[in-house]
Amino acid sequence: MTDTAPQTWLILGATSSMARALSRKLAEQGAQLLLAGRDLTDLEASAADCRLRGAPLAEVLRFDARDPGTFQPILDRMADLDGTPNAAVFVGSMPPQEEIDTDPSLIDGTVADSFTGPARLLHGLAPLLEARGAGTIVGVSSVAGDRGRVGNYVYGAAKSGFTTYMSGLRNRLGRSGAHAITVKPGFVDTAMTWGLEGMFLVAPPEAVADSILNAVEKKKNVIYTPFFWRYIMMIIRAVPEPIFRKMSI
């Protein structure tokens, strides 16, 4: 696969603000786009916008992380398209921890949305990248997965699992010439974080999209975005457990 091959990008969770920002930038670069998610009406509007911005192809596909029946049509469409296959995963859900504490059944959906559903689809996509010897998978995890915090430890556990999965996938794909990047955003201005208390240093979705494109170009392995979250999380991970247990972060 040459550098001049057409680029196809599958965007999972394409209705999120970060995904929209990345889709717009990829459209302006002339990439073919498959926008996947649950709200097809919303996705159709995004696809139309991407075509206006220069995407030669912008199609909509249904994806529900909790419904494996939606996975195969996406994999089949990716295989149908010529060129270099890429994917970016923005899927996840974060119910308030107090709601999960009241109703532990919410754990299942949180883990499916944030880890096992996306991982299962990526496991089906990996052979296509291996066969073509090219392509990048971008997995958006979270700084919440770096350490269990009392305010969102179920979501953090799911993202920690996804981070580990992406590490293994990176090792696998690298043997064929493809690549995988783990992205760990801090606080980003999205629907998921709207109204949360204790937010600080909130980044715009466009900044995250720029970080992702830079990481793809430079074939980075793991990035924090904005960059200073790497140092914030270094400090948080270094706090001794007896002290950490008493903190309210």
Side-chain angles (χ1 to χ4, degrees), residues 217-235:
E217 181 181 356
K218 296 182 178 179
K219 293 188 178 295
K220 293 186 177 181
N221 296 319
V222 180
I223 65 166
Y224 288 78
T225 179
F227 73 93
F228 49 74
W229 277 95
R230 177 179 296 276
Y231 306 106
I232 293 174
M233 296 313 299
M234 284 176 59
I235 295 170

Side-chain angles (χ1 to χ4, degrees), residues 54-205:
L57 177 147
E59 294 181 1
V60 167
L61 295 166
R62 182 170 178 269
F63 172 75
D64 185 336
R66 306 184 194 187
D67 181 4
T70 65
F71 298 178
Q72 194 59 49
I74 295 172
L75 298 174
D76 291 343
R77 187 62 180 125
M78 284 291 288
D80 286 342
L81 296 171
D82 293 331
T84 303
N86 305 278
V89 179
F90 293 90
V91 183
S93 63
M94 187 174 64
Q97 185 63 47
E98 58 269 21
E99 292 185 13
I100 296 176
D101 295 342
T102 300
D103 181 6
S105 68
L106 294 174
I107 292 174
D108 296 346
T110 303
V111 173
D113 291 341
S114 306
F115 172 25
T116 54
R120 182 169 173 176
L121 187 139
L122 292 180
H123 228 65
L125 182 62
L128 178 63
L129 277 73
E130 291 173 318
R132 298 191 184 179
T136 299
I137 290 176
V138 175
V140 178
S141 186
S142 172
V143 297
D146 279 15
R147 192 161 191 180
R149 296 168 50 237
V150 70
N152 67 351
Y153 61 90
V154 169
Y155 173 74
K159 284 302 188 182
S160 179
F162 187 59
T163 293
T164 301
Y165 175 81
M166 287 298 300
S167 178
L169 185 63
R170 179 162 47 254
N171 289 335
R172 172 184 172 179
L173 293 179
R175 288 161 168 75
S176 65
H179 189 49
I181 300 169
T182 305
V183 178
K184 297 184 179 185
F187 296 131
V188 182
D189 186 12
T190 67
M192 183 184 292
T193 59
W194 188 84
L196 290 180
E197 296 181 359
M199 297 275 286
F200 62 96
L201 300 174
V202 180

Side-chain angles (χ1 to χ4, degrees), residues 206-219:
E206 292 76 14
V208 175
D210 286 336
S211 296
I212 290 173
L213 290 175
N214 179 67
V216 171
E217 181 181 356
K218 296 182 178 179
K219 293 188 178 295

